[in-house]
Amino acid sequence: MALIEIKSAAKRYGGTVALDGVSASVEAGSCLALVGESGSGKTTLLRSINRLTHLDSGGVRVRGEPVSALDPVALRRSIGYVQQDSGLIPHWTCLTNASLVPGLLGRADAEERGREALGTLGLPPPLFADRYPRELSGGQRQRVAMARAIAAGPDILLMDEAFSALDAITRFEVQKTLAELRGTANVTCVLVTHDIAEALRLATHVLVMRHGKAVASAPAEELCARADGYAAELIARSGVPT
Ligand code: ADP
Ligand code: MG
């Protein structure tokens, strides 16, 4: 059974079609990358998984249950989510931000979980715990956002352009952390990126989106061979060797 199952997801904002019948399925332990240009519907689709997008039609199942039947707050607390703009609470320290979800879940060890997550993301608590988001670089803020997303040990992690703001070295480190998490904690990921090379490097499956539609979908190692039309053009433009 797929851990996440999206069927014919459709969403409009007024006259704008954000999603036009997208289906996707994510097996436990795999990593799906949603790739496409700005405005192609990636964020809208990602947020349908934790019910931050309310679909007009179609549906999403998480762990076998239709999300529409689940309590949205409990659902969101059970899924790690890194927002496109980090979304840290500005007047909270790094540690308070990182401990948020285990705290909301009533865990007695919330602060310890937050510290551990900061350490995992390469932010030693003695240096970073008491700092405020404004006292961090963009890349460090993004890492605190990732620490917050993993602190409660979710089985699903959603990441929206989580690596875009990072410099090359930090990006490499954080991507390595993600690969380790997937290996050791068996976290299932859905990540959004506009960078097809990044998608091919990090994901097991790739879904290429355009104008709210899935125009290509394949295991990462087969995408280049299978892609045609727009998806092939996107790959060619990215300079990924095929
Ligand atoms: P992406 O993440 O691929 O850049 P989005 O999912 O954010 O794309 O957006 C898809 C389309 O829906 C875009 O045309 C965007 O302008 C529109 N859209 C997204 N969110 C809203 C919103 N809250 N209100 C109005 N339009 C929106
Ligand atoms: Mg987006």
Side-chain angles (χ1 to χ4, degrees), residues 13 16 18 37-44:
Y13 293 102
T16 305
E37 290 167 63
S38 173
S40 57
K42 306 180 297 295
T43 295
T44 306

Side-chain angles (χ1 to χ4, degrees), residues 28-50:
S30 69
C31 176
L32 173 69
L34 308 176
V35 189
E37 290 167 63
S38 173
S40 57
K42 306 180 297 295
T43 295
T44 306
L45 186 65
L46 188 77
R47 289 161 62 96
S48 71
I49 298 168
N50 60 1

